Amino acid sequence: MAFDALPGRDAALSDAALARLFTEARTYNAWSDRPVPETLLRKLYDLTKFGPTALNATPARFLFLTSPEAKARLASLMSEGNRAKTLQAPVNVIIGHDVDFHDTLPKLFPHAPGARDWFPDVEARRETAFRNGSLQGGYFLMAARALGLDVGPMSGFDAAGVKRAFFPDDAVEPNFIVNLGYGSDENLFARSPRLAFDEAARIL
């Protein structure tokens, strides 16, 4: 069936779905011990990968840490305030971006056979990878919530240390860390205010 023929594709999500994704969603600082199966992690990636990126480059790379050894190695590189919740969360995800993403363009953007050669400069690749990898990180958070998971995105880590510890032999650079699992209301802050439309947006 053609996409245009799909029934209801222009219909808004239900209020309950919007609440789950946005208005009632929270950043969690404490976690239950309920495990997250590998099948769900794979489903999470398989949703995330469909978010749009420039040239379909999809430069984000996701490293899921589930073993106590890997989580302890990451926790040692987190800022002090992030260590306990990193160890408690069932899964830690290092979201990075591959500065050599252009090597996959022949596969991902086949209708422009010369696309790889559009990125000879490493700094231009780094900017493109960071921007589009960050977009994919946002898609990842929404996909996780859509699958019933909770998230706790964090900066506050030794980026150079994470690079050395987890991506020593490739061109992946860490962007941010996400704790993933089923959140607990323990240590949950009251919801912070948001800017109103007229404070943050204009229509021209």
Side-chain angles (χ1 to χ4, degrees), residues 109-158:
F109 205 58
H111 52 281
R116 183 189 183 283
D117 299 331
W118 298 348
F119 295 93
D121 180 71
V122 67
E123 288 307 316
R125 294 203 304 271
R126 180 170 284 113
E127 179 181 354
T128 299
F130 175 72
R131 179 180 299 114
N132 288 278
S134 297
L135 273 175
Q136 289 186 269
Y139 303 145
F140 179 91
L141 301 180
M142 294 297 102
R145 289 170 172 174
L147 291 174
L149 292 163
D150 295 310
V151 296
M154 302 176 292
S155 51
F157 63 95
D158 177 356

Side-chain angles (χ1 to χ4, degrees), residues 26-31 78 82 85-86 89 91-93 140-141 144-145 149-155 176-183:
R26 305 300 306 278
T27 295
Y28 282 88
N29 297 304
W31 301 89
M78 302 300 294
N82 287 336
K85 56 188 173 182
T86 297
V91 183
N92 314 130
V93 189
F140 179 91
L141 301 180
R145 289 170 172 174
L149 292 163
D150 295 310
V151 296
M154 302 176 292
S155 51
F176 64 101
I177 312 293
V178 179
N179 287 335
L180 186 69
Y182 299 94

Side-chain angles (χ1 to χ4, degrees), residues 3 10 13 15 19 21 26 33 41 60 88 90-91 115 125 134 161 171 174:
F3 183 74
D10 56 348
L13 295 177
D15 287 344
L21 294 175
R26 305 300 306 278
D33 58 3
L41 298 181
Q88 187 186 35
V91 183
R125 294 203 304 271
S134 297

Side-chain angles (χ1 to χ4, degrees), residues 30-98:
W31 301 89
S32 79
D33 58 3
R34 180 180 172 187
V36 180
E38 181 179 333
T39 54
L40 188 53
L41 298 181
R42 290 179 176 275
K43 186 173 183 179
L44 171 53
Y45 172 75
D46 283 338
L47 280 180
T48 300
K49 70 183 181 184
F50 288 109
T53 56
L55 308 178
N56 195 38
T58 57
R61 301 293 181 262
F62 305 88
L63 185 59
F64 295 88
L65 308 182
T66 60
S67 72
E69 296 79 12
K71 288 164 57 62
R73 188 159 29 127
L74 176 64
S76 72
L77 298 165
M78 302 300 294
S79 62
E80 184 175 354
N82 287 336
R83 288 175 191 158
K85 56 188 173 182
T86 297
L87 289 170
Q88 187 186 35
V91 183
N92 314 130
V93 189
I94 304 173
I95 299 183
H97 46 271
D98 187 355

